[in-house]
């Protein structure tokens, strides 16, 4: 019993911390260009914190391929990962696996024509879960602020709208692939820092 209360309190305070970060992100208006960060090192540094957001029935697996520095704010990347990991956790009530990958994506002029990204090099951050997946209707609305399918008190519907805003401001893009019963992958591409730009 006492153990349950302690768990509840810990979860409530972690949730409060997440919401506080969201609110800070919403209110912050950054005017300077985001710094260049080592995405792999940032990811490695926050894995312990991400592990504290999940429980023992969920495993986080990391696959890193080396990538050049990308244009992003380390605090914002942390927030993106927290929001995606919490969503993955919530989609796997019976446990499962979260795979976080980094890799380099090179878009040439042909690729730019089809994929919607400008030609250039990007750092990819992909988060895949083995959870419930999403139907088409949910995928259409998932980035809308305050859109949630979770019960009252469980979700504010801000997580993905903030992810979207952070990535867009960094000049990146998000691709989602998801199917009910087959899990979800969020693929975030962030522009690689180029000399003089
Ligand atoms: N990995 C996922 N698997 C299945 N559904 C997801 C996943 N990520 C997001 N969703 C769906 O998208 C909705 C919106 O997600 P979002 O993170 O914006 O809000 P939330 O998780 O409901 O609330 P909050 O993030 O504020 O706690 C979720 O309610 C859920 O229906
Ligand atoms: Mg969320």
């Amino acid at each position: 019993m006492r153990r349950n209360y302690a768990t509840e309190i810990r979860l409530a305070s972690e949730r409060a911390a997440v919401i506080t970060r969201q609110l800070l992100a919403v209110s912050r208006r950054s005017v300077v260009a985001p710094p260049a960060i080592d995405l792999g090192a940032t990811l490695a540094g926050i894995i312990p914190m991400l592990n504290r957001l999940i429980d023992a029935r969920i495993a986080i697996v990391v696959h890193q391929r080396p990538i050049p520095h990308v244009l992003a704010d380390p605090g914002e990347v942390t927030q993106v990962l927290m929001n995606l990991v919490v969503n993955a956790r919530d989609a796997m009530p019976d446990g499962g696996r979260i795979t976080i990958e980094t890799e380099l994506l090179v878009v040439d002029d042909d690729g730019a024509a089809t994929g919607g990204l400008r030609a250039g090099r990007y750092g990819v951050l992909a988060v895949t879960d083995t959870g419930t997946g999403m139907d088409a209707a949910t995928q259409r609305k998932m980035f809308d602020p305050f859109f949630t399918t979770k019960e009252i008190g469980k979700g504010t519907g801000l997580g993905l709208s903030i992810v979207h805003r952070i990535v867009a401001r960094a000049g990146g893009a998000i691709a989602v692939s998801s199917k009910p019963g087959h899990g979800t992958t969020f693929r975030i591409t962030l522009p690689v820092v180029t000399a003089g730009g």
Side-chain angles (χ1 to χ4, degrees):
M1 200 60 180
R2 185 173 293 173
R3 170 98 175 269
N4 281 341
Y5 283 139
T7 305
E8 286 298 322
I9 291 167
R10 183 175 61 79
L11 290 177
S13 62
E14 276 169 6
R15 198 166 154 67
V18 171
I19 291 173
T20 305
R21 276 180 163 277
Q22 322 267 43
L23 293 174
L24 285 173
V26 170
S27 59
R28 198 190 301 139
R29 285 283 176 273
S30 170
V31 285
V32 293
I37 62 158
D38 180 338
L39 200 53
T42 303
L43 172 59
I46 62 174
I47 290 297
M49 194 254 288
L50 297 177
N51 270 307
R52 285 198 296 275
L53 294 171
I54 58 175
D55 64 57
R57 293 163 312 155
I58 297 175
I60 293 184
V61 179
V62 179
H63 292 302
Q64 293 237 39
R65 294 218 180 85
I67 45 176
H69 282 50
V70 296
L71 282 172
D73 175 279
E76 292 188 341
V77 167
T78 301
Q79 181 153 26
V80 163
L81 278 164
M82 283 174 72
N83 288 350
L84 294 180
V85 164
V86 168
N87 281 349
R89 176 198 70 192
D90 291 348
M92 299 188 291
D94 302 320
R97 192 173 59 249
I98 301 174
T99 308
I100 307 178
E101 290 160 288
T102 60
E103 65 185 23
L104 179 68
L105 171 70
V106 180
V107 176
D108 58 21
D109 291 326
D110 291 348
T114 52
L117 284 172
R118 282 202 221 172
R121 297 194 303 156
Y122 296 84
V124 178
L125 181 63
V127 178
T128 300
D129 66 59
T130 57
T132 55
M134 283 177 274
D135 59 21
T138 301
Q139 288 181 54
R140 270 196 300 276
K141 297 201 135 181
M142 66 189 169
F143 292 119
D144 294 356
F146 305 111
F147 172 78
T148 182
T149 59
K150 296 171 190 175
E151 54 186 280
I152 295 170
K154 283 266 168 73
T156 58
L158 282 177
L160 283 182
S161 68
I162 287 167
V163 167
H164 189 271
R165 194 173 145 275
I166 287 172
V167 173
R169 217 176 51 190
I174 309 179
V176 182
S177 97
S178 183
K179 219 168 118 186
H182 291 274
T184 300
T185 297
F186 282 88
R187 252 173 89 85
I188 290 173
T189 44
L190 295 166
V192 161
V193 178
T194 51

